[in-house]
Amino acid sequence: MFSSKTGGAAALAIALWSILSLCTACDKDVRQFKGAYSSKTSGSLVLRKAISAEQDSLLLPDTLTVSLSPESGQMRISEIKDDQDGYNLLVSVNLLGGDALSFRAKADGDDITLETTPHERYLQANISGNLKMTLGVTTGGSGRIYDDVIVFALDYQGGGHYLNVPYVIIDSHVDCIATSNE
């Protein structure tokens, strides 16, 4: 049998091994996402009129489904050390001919969760034909890695004006596909 000294040492060794195993798993979560990616974003949004029917002299529809103009760019995912809120990744995106964006993110296994951006950005949405509207949005979402591809489901929040009538986003169907450049 174990003496109290060897039993205590064995228990301590098992506890330390468990902690180290968890840290190694956390590092693996981060490592598999790190790198450079080419990305493409597209999708649609559902918007609801933000005023009452009595205020709408044009009698516009209560809801609109709009298609987003596709966006392409370069994405880099880097590790964050010692973030006080528990975020362990920084996702930076440089859109071709457009905005530069950054998100703090959390990796957990094959999943990644983006913190909603604290800043609003503007993008074009197509209503029908040549009709377009500009939307002010904040972006968040989550994704999953599959070998060398990350598939993100993005959540856009915000709104815009169509023929001077305000609309807010009530549903977001936006995907971003990021393919590893390495």
Side-chain angles (χ1 to χ4, degrees):
M1 289 299 183
F2 291 113
S3 71
S4 62
K5 283 185 180 181
T6 57
L12 179 61
I14 291 171
L16 287 174
W17 180 79
S18 298
I19 291 170
L20 288 174
S21 295
L22 285 174
C23 291
T24 303
C26 295
D27 288 344
K28 178 195 172 284
D29 293 349
V30 170
R31 278 195 315 266
Q32 71 178 341
F33 287 100
K34 286 173 51 175
Y37 298 83
S38 296
S39 63
K40 179 131 185 180
T41 303
S42 62
S44 64
L45 302 170
V46 179
L47 300 109
R48 180 182 306 144
K49 195 180 336 176
I51 62 172
S52 68
E54 295 81 37
Q55 295 171 308
D56 180 8
S57 62
L58 300 174
L59 300 175
L60 294 174
D62 288 338
T63 61
L64 292 173
T65 299
V66 298
S67 299
L68 299 176
S69 298
E71 297 175 313
S72 297
Q74 293 298 308
M75 178 184 293
R76 175 159 292 285
I77 301 179
S78 309
E79 185 175 1
I80 296 175
K81 299 273 189 198
D82 303 324
D83 185 273
Q84 294 177 352
D85 297 329
Y87 290 92
N88 52 12
L89 294 170
L90 175 69
V91 178
S92 56
V93 181
N94 185 7
L95 296 172
L96 218 64
D99 297 330
L101 310 168
S102 66
F103 304 88
R104 292 188 313 165
K106 291 181 183 179
D108 182 14
D110 291 341
D111 297 321
I112 184 170
T113 303
L114 302 173
E115 176 185 42
T116 300
T117 57
H119 53 276
E120 186 175 60
R121 72 183 191 100
Y122 296 91
L123 51 94
Q124 289 293 309
N126 305 308
I127 297 171
S128 67
N130 291 334
L131 295 175
K132 295 184 184 291
M133 71 186 298
T134 300
L135 297 166
V137 300
T138 58
T139 308
S142 61
R144 178 165 270 250
I145 193 164
Y146 303 92
D147 294 325
D148 63 346
V149 175
I150 304 172
V151 178
F152 289 95
L154 300 179
D155 179 32
Y156 285 17
Q157 300 171 9
H161 287 80
Y162 173 55
L163 299 175
N164 293 323
V165 174
Y167 280 82
V168 295
I169 298 169
I170 59 170
D171 202 7
S172 179
H173 305 278
V174 182
D175 292 322
C176 175
I177 308 300
T179 305
S180 177
N181 293 339
E182 299 166 5

